[in-house]
Amino acid sequence: MTDETIKNTKSGNREPEILLQAENLSKEFDTGKKDSKIHAVSNVDLEIRRGETLALVGESGCGKSTLGRTLIKMLPATGGRVLFHGEDITAMSEKEFRSLRRKMQMIFQDPYASLDPRMTVRNIIAEPLVTYHVCSNKKETTARVLELMQAVGVPTEFLDRYPHQFSGGQRQRIGIARAIALNPELIVCDEPVSALDVSVQSQVLNLLKDLQQQYSLTYLFIGHDLSVINFIADRVCVMFLGSVCEIASKEEIYAKPMHPYTSFLLDAIPQADPHLRNEHRQVLTGEVPSPVHLPEGCFFHTRCPYATDRCRRERPTLRVVKGRQVACHRAGEVEL
């Protein structure tokens, strides 16, 4: 969060502003077969507060990226709605949404695939400026591009180079420059460091933090590396099979998870000390349900060691337990 948001929250002056809110949001994909759909996102409720970094975590294929794209209308929702500044963007036409599009941007996972190899850095960063007629002439556009390059740490003398002439870290910086070009309020960061060398990841993460302060940005940070999440997040939203398991502050999640799936995820973090690697480590067993044929009841019950008959029959709703949101019938009752 920004310093002002944290200060106001701690002092009790006011609740942090809700920038974006999802209500019962769902996204399905056709499989090409009759009456068969992939349930990528199922009835998700969440809030993103202005100035914070909300991390979205879960194993590969759980719907994190699909949810991120659906929240900013890069993919159309098939159910529920998304409110941005209280406005229902899911009901808007593309023409109506155009004025809000510039306020929501995305940083992609693969910095090479997300940049047009036929365009120079000048044109890549300038493209959103030209599309939205931000600058009045080419000179002003170039000046803004150079300003953005300096902000993300790309040497300005590389203005007319192509993406293949840069390293992975530099390409991701170019993608970040493009994302902040229109001064957005919300940026979806879709695993922005997972394709980078470990030595470069910390540089990009620190850059994202610096830019958040400088430009008053709000992040939805999608990731699977829990050490990265621990560094950058304010709050964490854990997903399993397209649904939300738990939402809490970073400190609460890492200190004492309430959902069994969250506990298993934390146990999977590699330990540097070989003597601690197998100590108290839980291993997930059971069958991973299909997103085409979702199980009855809790989606996690086929792998949960604490599942009861109620878990197999009734799907838990996201409820507040000890100050955090958890979708588990036994939250707070079972010691994980």
Side-chain angles (χ1 to χ4, degrees):
M1 293 186 182
T2 61
D3 292 340
E4 181 182 357
T5 304
I6 294 172
K7 182 179 178 181
N8 286 330
T9 304
K10 288 182 176 179
S11 63
N13 291 341
R14 60 179 174 85
E15 288 294 317
E17 178 189 349
I18 303 302
L19 182 64
L20 183 142
Q21 183 175 8
E23 297 179 350
N24 206 30
L25 188 67
S26 296
K27 176 61 183 175
E28 299 172 345
F29 296 98
D30 288 325
T31 63
K33 298 179 181 179
K34 186 178 180 181
D35 299 326
S36 179
K37 296 181 183 294
I38 297 172
H39 304 277
V41 176
S42 301
N43 310 109
V44 165
D45 293 309
L46 63 78
E47 297 174 345
I48 303 177
R49 303 165 183 168
R50 179 180 290 280
E52 76 167 346
T53 297
L54 174 65
L56 203 56
V57 302
E59 58 193 296
S60 296
C62 73
K64 304 186 298 294
S65 295
T66 300
L67 175 58
R69 285 167 166 79
T70 306
L71 286 172
I72 61 173
K73 209 175 166 68
M74 287 184 70
L75 290 173
T78 50
R81 63 177 188 163
V82 178
L83 305 177
F84 186 74
H85 284 299
E87 295 186 72
D88 184 0
I89 65 173
T90 49
M92 292 181 179
S93 66
E94 286 302 316
K95 184 177 181 180
E96 292 172 326
F97 182 63
R98 180 178 168 81
S99 62
L100 291 178
R101 164 59 66 203
R102 62 185 298 172
K103 297 182 180 180
M104 305 177 216
Q105 297 295 316
M106 191 161 190
I107 300 168
F108 298 91
Q109 178 178 359
D110 188 339
Y112 191 72
S114 63
L115 303 179
D116 190 331
R118 299 165 298 180
M119 296 174 67
T120 63
V121 172
R122 178 200 302 267
N123 293 331
I124 288 170
I125 300 176
E127 187 173 26
L129 302 173
V130 173
T131 301
Y132 281 90
H133 308 290
V134 173
C135 304
S136 57
N137 53 55
K138 288 186 177 180
K139 183 178 180 181
E140 189 177 326
T141 301
T142 299
R144 175 62 174 156
V145 169
L146 292 171
E147 178 187 332
L148 290 164
M149 290 177 69
Q150 289 178 328
V152 299
V154 176
T156 54
E157 58 266 28
F158 296 164
L159 184 64
D160 292 310
R161 288 192 179 185
Y162 291 87
H164 73 271
Q165 296 175 292
F166 293 90
S167 66
Q170 287 176 319
R171 283 196 289 263
Q172 193 60 289
R173 288 172 184 267
I174 295 166
I176 293 171
R178 179 178 60 184
I180 66 172
L182 296 174
N183 295 315
E185 296 181 48
L186 172 67
I187 296 181
V188 175
C189 306
D190 188 5
E191 304 206 36
V193 298
S194 63
L196 305 178
D197 293 340
V198 175
S199 59
V200 180
Q201 287 184 4
S202 60
Q203 298 173 22
V204 174
L205 291 171
N206 283 320
L207 171 64
L208 289 172
K209 279 198 164 190
D210 291 342
L211 293 173
Q212 184 174 40
Q213 295 291 328
Q214 184 177 348
Y215 292 96
S216 301
L217 298 171
T218 302
Y219 291 144
L220 176 65
F221 191 97
I222 299 168
H224 63 271
D225 187 330
L226 292 176
S227 60
V228 169
I229 298 302
N230 191 26
F231 175 77
I232 199 161
D234 295 307
R235 291 191 303 136
V236 180
C237 173
V238 182
M239 286 187 70
F240 177 79
L241 202 64
S243 64
V244 172
C245 298
E246 184 170 2
I247 304 175
S249 70
K250 172 181 64 179
E251 292 77 15
E252 290 172 324
I253 287 284
Y254 282 80
K256 195 171 182 61
M258 278 195 176
H259 197 284
Y261 179 64
T262 308
S263 180
F264 280 108
L265 279 182
L266 293 172
D267 269 352
I269 299 175
Q271 296 286 341
D273 187 342
H275 300 292
L276 299 177
R277 285 176 185 169
N278 295 316
E279 187 177 341
H280 306 302
R281 183 179 291 271
Q282 302 180 83
V283 179
L284 272 176
T285 58
E287 181 183 352
V288 179
S290 166
V292 178
H293 304 289
L294 295 175
E296 293 292 325
C298 176
F299 292 168
F300 188 60
H301 84 257
T302 61
R303 310 186 76 189
C304 181
Y306 311 105
T308 63
D309 287 340
R310 182 187 180 191
C311 300
R312 298 180 184 94
R313 294 191 315 267
E314 180 185 337
R315 182 179 174 187
T317 57
L318 200 64
R319 60 192 176 96
V320 178
V321 180
K322 296 181 179 179
R324 70 177 81 179
Q325 293 175 280
V326 190
C328 179
H329 295 308
R330 307 186 72 187
E333 301 174 6
V334 177
E335 188 72 25
L336 300 178

